[in-house]
Structures are given as structure tokens and as C-alpha cells.
Amino acid sequence: MKCRSITPPQKWILLGIPVLFLLGSFMHFLYDLSGYNAVVGAIAAVNESVWEHSKLILFPFIAWWAIYYLVKAKKYSIDPDKWFTAAMAALVTALITMPMLFYFYTEAFGIESLVIDIIIFLIVVILGQLMGFHVYKYSKGINPWTSIGLIVLIALVFVLLTFCPLHIPLLQDSTTGLYGIQ
């Protein structure tokens, strides 16, 4: 049996696992480090809510997938249908998995743990990138403008709900009880 090598775009997707984990971890502190700059708050977590922590996934994933496409699409003849469908699949998988795992362990077992939160974040990044890898490798993709439009819509919803939050538990800061940017 021959082992097929993976393509440079596929290697990029897998390389994203440790890089996105580290970048997302840094994004956790970016708003505080910025001196509570509202522009930074649009893309970085502004409180301890599950929703705001999802931004640790959102903007790094978007940048990771978009930058590679912009820089390497011509060189590697990257199919935009497949690439942006894979990017959307990676993003949506990670964004859905994070609150599911967080609420499962906190509500099912009644515990909260920074160590478990970090492990969940790593698992979420891995699952997102592996889904993106799978979709890129095996799907035909959909129109890239559909995928890009949905990704932009998701990003806009996150930014909007940072500044105009709904008063629901998903958006509530677990330490202060507040919502959104203050």
C-alpha cells in the first residue's frame, strides 16, 4: 500500500492546529493588553463569556485560511470552491464544538477548570482543522462567495453582539454577570 503525500495546502491546514491554538490563546489577553481598546474588542474576547471566548477561534481561523489563499492560491492552483467551503466547515465546526464541550463538562459535572478549558480549546482547534482538512480533500465545495458571505455574516454577528449583546447566558460574563464590552 502506497502512502500518499499531502499537498502544501493540506499541510497548511494541519500546521494551523498548533499555530491557531497559540494565536487564540494570545487573543484571550489582547483586549486587556490593548488598554481596553474598543476596536480590539471587536475581534478579541472582552469578557469571560463563552460567546466572547469563541472569538479566540473566529478571527484567527478566518485570518489563517484567508491569508494562505491570498498568498498561495495561484502557486498551488487552489480551488476556491473547495478552499472556502473547507474554511467555513472548519470555522463552524469549532464554533459549535466549543460551547457544546464547555457546557457539557460544566453542567454535567458541576465543575469549572482552567486546565479543562484549555484542553477543550485545543480539542476544538483540532476538530475544526481536521474537518476543514477533510472537506478540502474530499468535497467539491460550493460557490466560494456563498462560503465567504456566511463567514463574513458570522463575524458581523460576533462583532454586533459584542457591542449590543443579548441578555442570555451564552453572552454573560461568568465572573461579573455583565454582557458585552463595557
Side-chain angles (χ1 to χ4, degrees):
M1 177 181 199
K2 276 180 124 175
C3 184
R4 288 181 31 192
S5 64
I6 61 175
T7 65
Q10 291 169 336
K11 287 179 186 174
W12 180 259
I13 294 168
L14 296 177
L15 177 62
I17 293 169
V19 174
L20 290 168
F21 175 73
L22 293 173
L23 184 58
S25 298
F26 171 73
M27 293 282 291
H28 184 275
F29 305 101
L30 189 59
Y31 180 64
D32 292 343
L33 292 172
S34 76
Y36 307 103
N37 182 297
V39 174
V40 173
I43 64 166
V46 300
N47 66 37
E48 293 299 317
S49 71
V50 175
W51 181 261
E52 287 293 321
H53 276 75
S54 294
K55 286 194 222 171
L56 307 181
I57 296 164
L58 180 66
F59 292 103
F61 268 60
I62 291 170
W64 185 258
W65 287 81
I67 289 168
Y68 190 79
Y69 184 81
L70 293 171
V71 173
K72 300 290 186 175
K74 288 182 185 175
K75 180 176 182 178
Y76 296 119
S77 301
I78 298 173
D79 179 346
D81 293 359
K82 291 172 56 171
W83 187 258
F84 290 106
T85 302
M88 183 180 61
L91 180 63
V92 169
T93 297
L95 289 174
I96 290 172
T97 305
M98 189 153 96
M100 285 176 39
L101 291 176
F102 174 79
Y103 284 123
F104 173 74
Y105 101 84
T106 57
E107 298 302 317
F109 301 107
I111 57 172
E112 288 193 31
S113 164
L114 178 61
V115 172
I116 295 173
D117 291 347
I118 293 168
I119 292 168
I120 285 175
F121 183 63
L122 178 60
I123 290 168
V124 163
V125 170
I126 291 168
L127 291 176
Q129 288 301 94
L130 290 179
M131 178 59 79
F133 182 94
H134 179 81
V135 169
Y136 180 73
K137 186 171 182 176
Y138 295 108
S139 83
K140 294 179 183 176
I142 61 175
N143 181 298
W145 293 111
T146 302
S147 298
I148 292 167
L150 288 171
I151 291 168
V152 168
L153 180 62
I154 291 168
L156 290 174
V157 167
F158 270 84
V159 172
L160 176 66
L161 290 176
T162 294
F163 294 98
C164 303
L166 300 173
H167 288 249
I168 60 174
L170 181 66
L171 279 67
Q172 186 176 31
D173 184 321
S174 61
T175 58
T176 66
L178 300 173
Y179 299 87
I181 198 166
Q182 299 302 313

